[in-house]
Structures are given as C-alpha cells and as structure tokens.
Amino acid sequence: MIQRRKSKQIQIGNIKIGGDAPISVQSMTNTDTRDIKSTLKQINNLFENGCEIVRLAILNADAVEAVKEIKKKSPLPLVADIHFDYRLAIRCIENGIDALRINPGNIGKEEHIKKVINLARINNIPVRIGINGGSLEKNIELSDIPLHEKMVMSAMRHIKILEDNNFDKIKVSLKSSDVLTTIEAYRLIAKKIDYPLHLGVTEAGTYTGGIVKSSVGLGTLLAEGIGDTIRVSLTDSPAEEVKAGYMILKSLGLRQRGINFISCPTCGRTQIDLISLAKEVEKRLENFSKPLTIAVMGCAVNGPGEAKHADYGIAGGIKEGLIFKKGQIVKKLSEEKLVDEFINLIQTENV
C-alpha cells in the first residue's frame, strides 16, 4: 500500500486537497472563456466524466466578466489561470472564483503579487503557485544549476512572499515538458514544504505520447506517495485528460471510479477477434461510473481461472465465448451475441 506524503489540507470549493483527502482529478477548458455557453457545456461534460476541479484561461477583462456568469451554473469549482496581468486575478476574486493559479515568474512586481495575495486572504481563496520550467525569472533561469533546482528555487521564493503576507492556503506545481526534470523537481520540493502538490507533466503531447509521459511522470511520483491532485495534459479533449487521470490513479489503487479494464494480449491460441471484442466492451463501458473490474480474455488458458478476481469477464473460444462472474461460468454464446449479452448483464445487475 502506498504511504502518502503528509501535507496540509486546503479546500477549493467543495473539494478538499491534501491531508487525508483523495487525490483529485483536474482539467482545463479549451473553450474561449468569454463564450459562456460553450464553456459551461464543456464543464458539464467534464463533471459527467468525473472531473473535480476545472481551470479557466483568463486572457482579458471580458473573460473575467464571464467568470461571474459561469460560476452561477458550474457544477465544479473554478480556478482562474492568470498570466502577466495581476489585475485580472483581483477581478476574478471579486467575481467569485474559487481559486487562482498564478505563475509568479510572469506576474511581475512583488507588490502586484502582494495585492493579489492580500485580497485572496480576505476572501479565503487558495492560490496555486504554478512553476513552469520554460518561464522562470531571468536571474534564476541564468543560474548555473540543474533545471529542476531552478524550478524549486523559484517556487520557494514565491512561497516566501505568500508566507510573509500571512498567507498559507497554498498549492504548488512544478511542471516541465521533460519527464525526469518534473520528477526530480517534485521530489526535491516534497522534502522542503508540506503544502499540497499538484502534479502534471506540461505540454506532454497528443493522446498516446501524452498519456505515456504523464503515466511515467505522475505514476512514479504517486507511487512514492507524492501528489495531492493531478492533471494529465493532453493535446486532446479535456474529458480524455480526466479519463487518463483516473486510469493512472486506478492502476496504483489510489482511486476507484469507473471500470478497471483488463485484457490479455493476443497469441496463437486466440480463436476469436479479441482486439475488436476488447475495444467494443471498453468503449461501451467508458462512461460507467461504478468501480468494477472487467476482463476480456482470449482463450480458456487466460479465462475464468486467471481472471477470477474480475467482477465480470469474457473468455474467448472458437467463434464463441464464455461469460463468467468471479471465475464462475454464467453462459456460453456465439461471438455475434457475446458483447450485447455481456453489457446487458453488467448493466442489469449494477443499476
């Protein structure tokens, strides 16, 4: 069992982060925040897929005004993503945002950061210090130390600014597009602070490559007990980020939402179209929120016996298959009827 790092607990909306709270799954809308209707549609889709916190890009004053309306109807806590203009952060707080994410390296003057923090403290608004390997303060960027140490140096500097202003509702992220740099940065800062950590590999890439990078980076840290909330950054639909996030957490036994899907690789014993079968079952159960283990196995060798821990499973035969529950065979069906009967059984027994 993974022993999680002890961290302070903060709260964003109704979601607790850190301490003994479950590791939360976040995403970010890719709509124009000024388009209230489209943004709310995407937020609701994220909510349906299990997202717990959503971040909005705040590019200008019009986006700030949209926050007021989005907040009224959003089922999820909202985090304002602010770059360059501290005044946008101030106005977002005034318009009811649940939390802020700022990159102190591009906010500018310390006095501007202080203005934001003072208002956040008054309004009980948590702040994520978001450090990116590609946007550090110039004097830190030019220092002759490894990148992960530069990132931690930047984070510690800005944590001190917040603490000097009597502010401790802090969450920290240190993201790089390089997986090893990201891992080392989080490992280092985890030894220095007890604030909750938001994990992510930034600019991870498109679907397959991005999931691989994120799984290696986030999975390594989570297995070491580091991390209180995560985002899988993909050049893809935000809903896919959420699904990937839960897959990573499920693989480590840290969250149990939705299907834990297992299937064997094909081999010469396989006499059924296993690849199509597995893909169809997984697709039809992708929005099933109940935590079940589902197995699709290619033959009797890897069938009810080897997958007897599964709640429900299929074992392939010659153009037919067995449906089993907890290792016990329920029925034998032709390949054409197998998926429909299998899905019907699961849905009927798990309403």
Side-chain angles (χ1 to χ4, degrees):
M1 186 175 180
I2 294 171
Q3 185 67 39
R4 288 178 59 191
R5 159 184 169 269
K6 293 182 180 180
S7 60
K8 290 183 178 179
Q9 189 170 91
I10 63 171
Q11 188 160 329
I12 297 178
N14 62 341
I15 302 296
K16 293 179 179 179
I17 297 171
D20 60 355
I23 296 168
S24 55
V25 177
Q26 304 190 23
S27 186
M28 184 175 183
T29 56
N30 59 16
T31 56
D32 185 334
T33 305
R34 296 170 296 183
D35 185 344
I36 296 170
K37 183 177 179 180
S38 295
T39 301
L40 279 169
K41 182 179 179 181
Q42 191 168 82
I43 290 172
N44 280 298
N45 179 252
L46 285 167
F47 175 72
E48 291 168 1
N49 279 281
C51 185
E52 292 163 308
I53 299 170
V54 65
R55 183 157 47 111
L56 309 176
I58 307 299
L59 303 177
N60 51 38
D62 290 336
V64 173
E65 290 308 305
V67 166
K68 188 185 298 183
E69 296 304 312
I70 294 169
K71 172 63 181 171
K72 291 177 183 177
K73 298 181 180 179
S74 173
L76 294 173
L78 305 177
V79 180
D81 189 73
I82 309 292
H83 291 273
F84 306 114
D85 191 343
Y86 75 99
R87 293 167 296 186
L88 298 177
I90 288 174
R91 291 181 63 185
C92 278
I93 294 173
E94 293 170 346
N95 282 350
I97 203 74
D98 295 294
L100 296 174
R101 184 270 186 177
I102 59 174
N103 182 341
N106 66 35
I107 285 289
K109 297 179 180 178
E110 189 171 317
E111 64 187 81
H112 293 164
I113 298 173
K114 287 182 177 181
K115 287 181 180 179
V116 173
I117 295 311
N118 287 336
L119 191 60
R121 185 180 62 253
I122 292 168
N123 288 273
N124 201 30
I125 302 296
V127 172
R128 168 153 73 96
I129 296 175
I131 304 299
N132 278 353
S135 55
L136 299 170
E137 304 94 308
K138 288 300 179 185
N139 63 324
I140 292 179
E141 186 177 358
L142 295 173
S143 60
D144 188 23
I145 57 175
L147 178 55
H148 73 275
E149 292 184 17
K150 295 178 185 178
M151 294 166 65
V152 172
M153 182 184 294
S154 177
M156 296 303 295
R157 173 184 293 181
H158 291 97
I159 289 170
K160 186 176 186 305
I161 293 171
L162 271 58
E163 290 177 337
D164 287 349
N165 283 270
N166 195 30
F167 189 87
D168 65 355
K169 290 180 173 57
I170 300 169
K171 180 173 63 171
V172 180
S173 65
L174 303 99
K175 298 183 181 182
S176 169
S177 57
D178 180 77
V179 174
L180 292 178
T181 297
T182 300
I183 291 171
E184 291 304 322
Y186 279 108
R187 282 174 172 167
L188 181 57
I189 203 159
K191 297 174 183 176
K192 294 177 176 288
I193 63 173
D194 63 356
Y195 294 116
L197 297 176
H198 169 70
L199 302 187
V201 177
T202 194
E203 301 149 4
T206 52
Y207 185 80
T208 302
I211 287 180
V212 170
K213 287 182 183 177
S214 295
S215 297
V216 173
L218 275 60
T220 298
L221 292 164
L222 290 166
E224 294 175 6
I226 298 171
D228 302 283
T229 177
I230 65 171
R231 179 196 175 189
V232 177
S233 297
L234 299 175
T235 310
D236 209 299
S237 161
E240 295 299 331
E241 296 186 347
V242 174
K243 293 173 187 176
Y246 276 107
M247 283 193 285
I248 292 171
L249 293 174
K250 281 189 290 186
S251 72
L252 294 167
L254 292 168
R255 290 293 296 267
Q256 298 298 325
R257 184 187 189 278
I259 299 299
N260 175 32
F261 188 79
I262 59 176
S263 61
C264 62
T266 58
C267 72
R269 290 189 297 269
T270 306
Q271 300 293 313
I272 196 169
D273 185 359
L274 182 64
I275 295 174
S276 297
L277 183 67
K279 286 182 177 179
E280 185 176 356
V281 171
E282 187 174 34
K283 178 68 176 175
R284 288 175 64 171
L285 292 173
E286 67 177 351
N287 294 319
F288 201 83
S289 60
K290 189 170 181 178
L292 295 174
T293 296
I294 304 296
V296 178
M297 315 301 281
C299 69
V301 173
N302 290 326
E306 192 163 319
K308 62 185 176 183
H309 63 286
D311 296 293
Y312 299 89
I314 290 173
I318 302 175
K319 303 298 181 182
E320 63 183 10
L322 302 173
I323 292 177
F324 58 90
K325 289 172 55 179
K326 294 291 187 182
Q328 300 299 311
I329 296 171
V330 175
K331 61 177 69 175
K332 180 190 289 187
L333 293 163
S334 66
E335 187 172 356
E336 293 76 22
K337 297 179 179 179
L338 197 54
V339 174
D340 285 340
E341 289 277 349
F342 187 58
I343 299 299
N344 183 61
L345 175 66
I346 295 169
Q347 292 177 336
T348 299
E349 295 189 355
N350 295 276
V351 177

PDB file of all heavy atoms in Angstrom, residues 316-343:
ATOM      1  N   GLY A 316     -12.638 -16.109 -24.577  1.00  0.00           N
ATOM      2  CA  GLY A 316     -12.898 -16.451 -25.960  1.00  0.00           C
ATOM      3  C   GLY A 316     -12.740 -17.931 -26.245  1.00  0.00           C
ATOM      4  O   GLY A 316     -11.965 -18.645 -25.589  1.00  0.00           O
ATOM      5  N   GLY A 317     -13.489 -18.397 -27.263  1.00  0.00           N
ATOM      6  CA  GLY A 317     -13.368 -19.759 -27.773  1.00  0.00           C
ATOM      7  C   GLY A 317     -13.242 -19.691 -29.288  1.00  0.00           C
ATOM      8  O   GLY A 317     -12.781 -18.692 -29.835  1.00  0.00           O
ATOM      9  N   ILE A 318     -13.669 -20.731 -29.978  1.00  0.00           N
ATOM     10  CA  ILE A 318     -13.643 -20.727 -31.437  1.00  0.00           C
ATOM     11  C   ILE A 318     -14.936 -20.105 -31.927  1.00  0.00           C
ATOM     12  O   ILE A 318     -16.002 -20.740 -31.929  1.00  0.00           O
ATOM     13  CB  ILE A 318     -13.485 -22.161 -31.993  1.00  0.00           C
ATOM     14  CG1 ILE A 318     -12.202 -22.794 -31.454  1.00  0.00           C
ATOM     15  CG2 ILE A 318     -13.461 -22.147 -33.528  1.00  0.00           C
ATOM     16  CD1 ILE A 318     -12.027 -24.249 -31.843  1.00  0.00           C
ATOM     17  N   LYS A 319     -14.862 -18.817 -32.277  1.00  0.00           N
ATOM     18  CA  LYS A 319     -16.014 -18.038 -32.730  1.00  0.00           C
ATOM     19  C   LYS A 319     -17.137 -18.000 -31.691  1.00  0.00           C
ATOM     20  O   LYS A 319     -18.309 -17.833 -32.023  1.00  0.00           O
ATOM     21  CB  LYS A 319     -16.555 -18.569 -34.069  1.00  0.00           C
ATOM     22  CG  LYS A 319     -15.536 -18.591 -35.191  1.00  0.00           C
ATOM     23  CD  LYS A 319     -15.027 -17.198 -35.512  1.00  0.00           C
ATOM     24  CE  LYS A 319     -14.020 -17.228 -36.650  1.00  0.00           C
ATOM     25  NZ  LYS A 319     -13.456 -15.886 -36.959  1.00  0.00           N
ATOM     26  N   GLU A 320     -16.780 -18.184 -30.438  1.00  0.00           N
ATOM     27  CA  GLU A 320     -17.760 -18.109 -29.362  1.00  0.00           C
ATOM     28  C   GLU A 320     -17.036 -17.668 -28.096  1.00  0.00           C
ATOM     29  O   GLU A 320     -15.820 -17.463 -28.088  1.00  0.00           O
ATOM     30  CB  GLU A 320     -18.425 -19.469 -29.131  1.00  0.00           C
ATOM     31  CG  GLU A 320     -17.456 -20.541 -28.675  1.00  0.00           C
ATOM     32  CD  GLU A 320     -18.109 -21.899 -28.515  1.00  0.00           C
ATOM     33  OE1 GLU A 320     -19.266 -22.054 -28.944  1.00  0.00           O
ATOM     34  OE2 GLU A 320     -17.465 -22.798 -27.953  1.00  0.00           O
ATOM     35  N   GLY A 321     -17.779 -17.497 -27.021  1.00  0.00           N
ATOM     36  CA  GLY A 321     -17.140 -17.076 -25.794  1.00  0.00           C
ATOM     37  C   GLY A 321     -17.939 -17.450 -24.569  1.00  0.00           C
ATOM     38  O   GLY A 321     -19.155 -17.671 -24.630  1.00  0.00           O
ATOM     39  N   LEU A 322     -17.246 -17.517 -23.446  1.00  0.00           N
ATOM     40  CA  LEU A 322     -17.880 -17.768 -22.163  1.00  0.00           C
ATOM     41  C   LEU A 322     -18.004 -16.455 -21.401  1.00  0.00           C
ATOM     42  O   LEU A 322     -17.074 -15.649 -21.376  1.00  0.00           O
ATOM     43  CB  LEU A 322     -17.051 -18.741 -21.336  1.00  0.00           C
ATOM     44  CG  LEU A 322     -16.756 -20.120 -21.921  1.00  0.00           C
ATOM     45  CD1 LEU A 322     -15.782 -20.856 -21.006  1.00  0.00           C
ATOM     46  CD2 LEU A 322     -18.047 -20.915 -22.088  1.00  0.00           C
ATOM     47  N   ILE A 323     -19.128 -16.231 -20.774  1.00  0.00           N
ATOM     48  CA  ILE A 323     -19.290 -15.110 -19.847  1.00  0.00           C
ATOM     49  C   ILE A 323     -19.149 -15.670 -18.436  1.00  0.00           C
ATOM     50  O   ILE A 323     -19.750 -16.701 -18.104  1.00  0.00           O
ATOM     51  CB  ILE A 323     -20.664 -14.427 -20.021  1.00  0.00           C
ATOM     52  CG1 ILE A 323     -20.734 -13.725 -21.390  1.00  0.00           C
ATOM     53  CG2 ILE A 323     -20.913 -13.416 -18.903  1.00  0.00           C
ATOM     54  CD1 ILE A 323     -22.086 -13.082 -21.676  1.00  0.00           C
ATOM     55  N   PHE A 324     -18.334 -15.010 -17.612  1.00  0.00           N
ATOM     56  CA  PHE A 324     -18.155 -15.501 -16.248  1.00  0.00           C
ATOM     57  C   PHE A 324     -18.225 -14.360 -15.241  1.00  0.00           C
ATOM     58  O   PHE A 324     -18.010 -13.191 -15.563  1.00  0.00           O
ATOM     59  CB  PHE A 324     -16.840 -16.264 -16.108  1.00  0.00           C
ATOM     60  CG  PHE A 324     -15.599 -15.482 -16.461  1.00  0.00           C
ATOM     61  CD1 PHE A 324     -14.906 -14.750 -15.506  1.00  0.00           C
ATOM     62  CD2 PHE A 324     -15.112 -15.491 -17.758  1.00  0.00           C
ATOM     63  CE1 PHE A 324     -13.760 -14.049 -15.819  1.00  0.00           C
ATOM     64  CE2 PHE A 324     -13.954 -14.768 -18.097  1.00  0.00           C
ATOM     65  CZ  PHE A 324     -13.278 -14.060 -17.125  1.00  0.00           C
ATOM     66  N   LYS A 325     -18.562 -14.725 -14.002  1.00  0.00           N
ATOM     67  CA  LYS A 325     -18.617 -13.781 -12.879  1.00  0.00           C
ATOM     68  C   LYS A 325     -17.766 -14.359 -11.759  1.00  0.00           C
ATOM     69  O   LYS A 325     -18.002 -15.489 -11.326  1.00  0.00           O
ATOM     70  CB  LYS A 325     -20.049 -13.602 -12.368  1.00  0.00           C
ATOM     71  CG  LYS A 325     -20.981 -12.848 -13.272  1.00  0.00           C
ATOM     72  CD  LYS A 325     -22.423 -12.883 -12.766  1.00  0.00           C
ATOM     73  CE  LYS A 325     -22.546 -12.386 -11.350  1.00  0.00           C
ATOM     74  NZ  LYS A 325     -23.954 -12.400 -10.871  1.00  0.00           N
ATOM     75  N   LYS A 326     -16.763 -13.582 -11.319  1.00  0.00           N
ATOM     76  CA  LYS A 326     -15.886 -14.034 -10.234  1.00  0.00           C
ATOM     77  C   LYS A 326     -15.365 -15.458 -10.478  1.00  0.00           C
ATOM     78  O   LYS A 326     -15.319 -16.286  -9.567  1.00  0.00           O
ATOM     79  CB  LYS A 326     -16.623 -13.973  -8.892  1.00  0.00           C
ATOM     80  CG  LYS A 326     -16.990 -12.572  -8.436  1.00  0.00           C
ATOM     81  CD  LYS A 326     -15.753 -11.768  -8.048  1.00  0.00           C
ATOM     82  CE  LYS A 326     -16.118 -10.434  -7.435  1.00  0.00           C
ATOM     83  NZ  LYS A 326     -14.930  -9.618  -7.085  1.00  0.00           N
ATOM     84  N   GLY A 327     -15.020 -15.733 -11.733  1.00  0.00           N
ATOM     85  CA  GLY A 327     -14.451 -17.026 -12.077  1.00  0.00           C
ATOM     86  C   GLY A 327     -15.461 -18.121 -12.379  1.00  0.00           C
ATOM     87  O   GLY A 327     -15.088 -19.202 -12.839  1.00  0.00           O
ATOM     88  N   GLN A 328     -16.751 -17.858 -12.124  1.00  0.00           N
ATOM     89  CA  GLN A 328     -17.789 -18.857 -12.359  1.00  0.00           C
ATOM     90  C   GLN A 328     -18.472 -18.627 -13.701  1.00  0.00           C
ATOM     91  O   GLN A 328     -18.949 -17.514 -13.973  1.00  0.00           O
ATOM     92  CB  GLN A 328     -18.829 -18.825 -11.237  1.00  0.00           C
ATOM     93  CG  GLN A 328     -18.256 -19.103  -9.860  1.00  0.00           C
ATOM     94  CD  GLN A 328     -17.619 -20.481  -9.769  1.00  0.00           C
ATOM     95  OE1 GLN A 328     -18.217 -21.484 -10.170  1.00  0.00           O
ATOM     96  NE2 GLN A 328     -16.403 -20.537  -9.239  1.00  0.00           N
ATOM     97  N   ILE A 329     -18.531 -19.654 -14.549  1.00  0.00           N
ATOM     98  CA  ILE A 329     -19.126 -19.512 -15.877  1.00  0.00           C
ATOM     99  C   ILE A 329     -20.633 -19.308 -15.758  1.00  0.00           C
ATOM    100  O   ILE A 329     -21.332 -20.048 -15.049  1.00  0.00           O
ATOM    101  CB  ILE A 329     -18.828 -20.751 -16.740  1.00  0.00           C
ATOM    102  CG1 ILE A 329     -17.307 -20.857 -16.972  1.00  0.00           C
ATOM    103  CG2 ILE A 329     -19.557 -20.670 -18.076  1.00  0.00           C
ATOM    104  CD1 ILE A 329     -16.875 -22.147 -17.629  1.00  0.00           C
ATOM    105  N   VAL A 330     -21.136 -18.299 -16.484  1.00  0.00           N
ATOM    106  CA  VAL A 330     -22.564 -17.978 -16.472  1.00  0.00           C
ATOM    107  C   VAL A 330     -23.249 -18.553 -17.706  1.00  0.00           C
ATOM    108  O   VAL A 330     -24.301 -19.172 -17.631  1.00  0.00           O
ATOM    109  CB  VAL A 330     -22.783 -16.451 -16.415  1.00  0.00           C
ATOM    110  CG1 VAL A 330     -24.257 -16.099 -16.523  1.00  0.00           C
ATOM    111  CG2 VAL A 330     -22.185 -15.874 -15.140  1.00  0.00           C
ATOM    112  N   LYS A 331     -22.655 -18.338 -18.889  1.00  0.00           N
ATOM    113  CA  LYS A 331     -23.246 -18.863 -20.122  1.00  0.00           C
ATOM    114  C   LYS A 331     -22.227 -18.869 -21.246  1.00  0.00           C
ATOM    115  O   LYS A 331     -21.199 -18.190 -21.182  1.00  0.00           O
ATOM    116  CB  LYS A 331     -24.480 -18.057 -20.526  1.00  0.00           C
ATOM    117  CG  LYS A 331     -24.225 -16.582 -20.812  1.00  0.00           C
ATOM    118  CD  LYS A 331     -25.489 -15.864 -21.291  1.00  0.00           C
ATOM    119  CE  LYS A 331     -26.523 -15.730 -20.200  1.00  0.00           C
ATOM    120  NZ  LYS A 331     -27.700 -14.922 -20.639  1.00  0.00           N
ATOM    121  N   LYS A 332     -22.553 -19.650 -22.283  1.00  0.00           N
ATOM    122  CA  LYS A 332     -21.744 -19.707 -23.495  1.00  0.00           C
ATOM    123  C   LYS A 332     -22.574 -19.120 -24.638  1.00  0.00           C
ATOM    124  O   LYS A 332     -23.755 -19.455 -24.779  1.00  0.00           O
ATOM    125  CB  LYS A 332     -21.345 -21.134 -23.830  1.00  0.00           C
ATOM    126  CG  LYS A 332     -20.497 -21.264 -25.102  1.00  0.00           C
ATOM    127  CD  LYS A 332     -20.330 -22.711 -25.524  1.00  0.00           C
ATOM    128  CE  LYS A 332     -19.429 -23.465 -24.583  1.00  0.00           C
ATOM    129  NZ  LYS A 332     -19.128 -24.839 -25.096  1.00  0.00           N
ATOM    130  N   LEU A 333     -21.927 -18.237 -25.444  1.00  0.00           N
ATOM    131  CA  LEU A 333     -22.652 -17.563 -26.517  1.00  0.00           C
ATOM    132  C   LEU A 333     -21.803 -17.495 -27.773  1.00  0.00           C
ATOM    133  O   LEU A 333     -20.570 -17.543 -27.721  1.00  0.00           O
ATOM    134  CB  LEU A 333     -23.030 -16.137 -26.100  1.00  0.00           C
ATOM    135  CG  LEU A 333     -24.042 -15.989 -24.968  1.00  0.00           C
ATOM    136  CD1 LEU A 333     -23.992 -14.587 -24.398  1.00  0.00           C
ATOM    137  CD2 LEU A 333     -25.443 -16.307 -25.465  1.00  0.00           C
ATOM    138  N   SER A 334     -22.475 -17.331 -28.909  1.00  0.00           N
ATOM    139  CA  SER A 334     -21.754 -17.118 -30.163  1.00  0.00           C
ATOM    140  C   SER A 334     -21.077 -15.760 -30.127  1.00  0.00           C
ATOM    141  O   SER A 334     -21.479 -14.854 -29.386  1.00  0.00           O
ATOM    142  CB  SER A 334     -22.713 -17.193 -31.352  1.00  0.00           C
ATOM    143  OG  SER A 334     -23.634 -16.115 -31.311  1.00  0.00           O
ATOM    144  N   GLU A 335     -20.044 -15.603 -30.943  1.00  0.00           N
ATOM    145  CA  GLU A 335     -19.286 -14.352 -30.975  1.00  0.00           C
ATOM    146  C   GLU A 335     -20.182 -13.155 -31.291  1.00  0.00           C
ATOM    147  O   GLU A 335     -19.992 -12.068 -30.741  1.00  0.00           O
ATOM    148  CB  GLU A 335     -18.171 -14.463 -32.013  1.00  0.00           C
ATOM    149  CG  GLU A 335     -17.204 -13.294 -32.030  1.00  0.00           C
ATOM    150  CD  GLU A 335     -16.016 -13.534 -32.946  1.00  0.00           C
ATOM    151  OE1 GLU A 335     -15.896 -14.652 -33.513  1.00  0.00           O
ATOM    152  OE2 GLU A 335     -15.200 -12.607 -33.087  1.00  0.00           O
ATOM    153  N   GLU A 336     -21.197 -13.369 -32.159  1.00  0.00           N
ATOM    154  CA  GLU A 336     -22.073 -12.264 -32.574  1.00  0.00           C
ATOM    155  C   GLU A 336     -22.934 -11.746 -31.415  1.00  0.00           C
ATOM    156  O   GLU A 336     -23.264 -10.565 -31.349  1.00  0.00           O
ATOM    157  CB  GLU A 336     -22.996 -12.720 -33.716  1.00  0.00           C
ATOM    158  CG  GLU A 336     -22.284 -13.022 -35.025  1.00  0.00           C
ATOM    159  CD  GLU A 336     -21.555 -14.363 -34.994  1.00  0.00           C
ATOM    160  OE1 GLU A 336     -21.929 -15.227 -34.148  1.00  0.00           O
ATOM    161  OE2 GLU A 336     -20.602 -14.541 -35.775  1.00  0.00           O
ATOM    162  N   LYS A 337     -23.299 -12.601 -30.492  1.00  0.00           N
ATOM    163  CA  LYS A 337     -24.196 -12.212 -29.400  1.00  0.00           C
ATOM    164  C   LYS A 337     -23.452 -11.840 -28.115  1.00  0.00           C
ATOM    165  O   LYS A 337     -24.049 -11.326 -27.172  1.00  0.00           O
ATOM    166  CB  LYS A 337     -25.167 -13.363 -29.085  1.00  0.00           C
ATOM    167  CG  LYS A 337     -26.100 -13.719 -30.223  1.00  0.00           C
ATOM    168  CD  LYS A 337     -27.003 -14.870 -29.820  1.00  0.00           C
ATOM    169  CE  LYS A 337     -27.969 -15.244 -30.936  1.00  0.00           C
ATOM    170  NZ  LYS A 337     -28.837 -16.391 -30.560  1.00  0.00           N
ATOM    171  N   LEU A 338     -22.167 -12.092 -28.109  1.00  0.00           N
ATOM    172  CA  LEU A 338     -21.402 -12.044 -26.865  1.00  0.00           C
ATOM    173  C   LEU A 338     -21.408 -10.668 -26.202  1.00  0.00           C
ATOM    174  O   LEU A 338     -21.710 -10.539 -25.006  1.00  0.00           O
ATOM    175  CB  LEU A 338     -19.966 -12.494 -27.160  1.00  0.00           C
ATOM    176  CG  LEU A 338     -19.094 -12.896 -25.981  1.00  0.00           C
ATOM    177  CD1 LEU A 338     -19.764 -13.970 -25.142  1.00  0.00           C
ATOM    178  CD2 LEU A 338     -17.739 -13.391 -26.492  1.00  0.00           C
ATOM    179  N   VAL A 339     -21.087  -9.622 -26.948  1.00  0.00           N
ATOM    180  CA  VAL A 339     -20.948  -8.297 -26.349  1.00  0.00           C
ATOM    181  C   VAL A 339     -22.283  -7.779 -25.828  1.00  0.00           C
ATOM    182  O   VAL A 339     -22.363  -7.277 -24.690  1.00  0.00           O
ATOM    183  CB  VAL A 339     -20.323  -7.300 -27.346  1.00  0.00           C
ATOM    184  CG1 VAL A 339     -20.323  -5.882 -26.745  1.00  0.00           C
ATOM    185  CG2 VAL A 339     -18.907  -7.706 -27.702  1.00  0.00           C
ATOM    186  N   ASP A 340     -23.338  -7.896 -26.634  1.00  0.00           N
ATOM    187  CA  ASP A 340     -24.641  -7.392 -26.198  1.00  0.00           C
ATOM    188  C   ASP A 340     -25.102  -8.074 -24.917  1.00  0.00           C
ATOM    189  O   ASP A 340     -25.591  -7.413 -23.982  1.00  0.00           O
ATOM    190  CB  ASP A 340     -25.687  -7.609 -27.300  1.00  0.00           C
ATOM    191  CG  ASP A 340     -25.527  -6.629 -28.457  1.00  0.00           C
ATOM    192  OD1 ASP A 340     -24.885  -5.573 -28.254  1.00  0.00           O
ATOM    193  OD2 ASP A 340     -26.043  -6.911 -29.558  1.00  0.00           O
ATOM    194  N   GLU A 341     -24.962  -9.378 -24.851  1.00  0.00           N
ATOM    195  CA  GLU A 341     -25.372 -10.120 -23.654  1.00  0.00           C
ATOM    196  C   GLU A 341     -24.509  -9.743 -22.448  1.00  0.00           C
ATOM    197  O   GLU A 341     -25.000  -9.614 -21.323  1.00  0.00           O
ATOM    198  CB  GLU A 341     -25.265 -11.622 -23.909  1.00  0.00           C
ATOM    199  CG  GLU A 341     -26.313 -12.172 -24.856  1.00  0.00           C
ATOM    200  CD  GLU A 341     -27.627 -12.463 -24.156  1.00  0.00           C
ATOM    201  OE1 GLU A 341     -27.660 -12.437 -22.905  1.00  0.00           O
ATOM    202  OE2 GLU A 341     -28.624 -12.711 -24.847  1.00  0.00           O
ATOM    203  N   PHE A 342     -23.230  -9.555 -22.702  1.00  0.00           N
ATOM    204  CA  PHE A 342     -22.285  -9.216 -21.634  1.00  0.00           C
ATOM    205  C   PHE A 342     -22.612  -7.851 -21.039  1.00  0.00           C
ATOM    206  O   PHE A 342     -22.716  -7.687 -19.817  1.00  0.00           O
ATOM    207  CB  PHE A 342     -20.865  -9.239 -22.202  1.00  0.00           C
ATOM    208  CG  PHE A 342     -19.776  -9.071 -21.174  1.00  0.00           C
ATOM    209  CD1 PHE A 342     -19.661  -9.957 -20.104  1.00  0.00           C
ATOM    210  CD2 PHE A 342     -18.850  -8.048 -21.276  1.00  0.00           C
ATOM    211  CE1 PHE A 342     -18.653  -9.822 -19.165  1.00  0.00           C
ATOM    212  CE2 PHE A 342     -17.833  -7.896 -20.348  1.00  0.00           C
ATOM    213  CZ  PHE A 342     -17.737  -8.784 -19.288  1.00  0.00           C
ATOM    214  N   ILE A 343     -22.793  -6.854 -21.898  1.00  0.00           N
ATOM    215  CA  ILE A 343     -23.098  -5.497 -21.442  1.00  0.00           C
ATOM    216  C   ILE A 343     -24.454  -5.471 -20.743  1.00  0.00           C
ATOM    217  O   ILE A 343     -24.615  -4.823 -19.691  1.00  0.00           O
ATOM    218  CB  ILE A 343     -23.086  -4.497 -22.621  1.00  0.00           C
ATOM    219  CG1 ILE A 343     -21.716  -4.452 -23.285  1.00  0.00           C
ATOM    220  CG2 ILE A 343     -23.509  -3.110 -22.143  1.00  0.00           C
ATOM    221  CD1 ILE A 343     -20.592  -4.010 -22.396  1.00  0.00           C
TER     222      ILE A 343
END
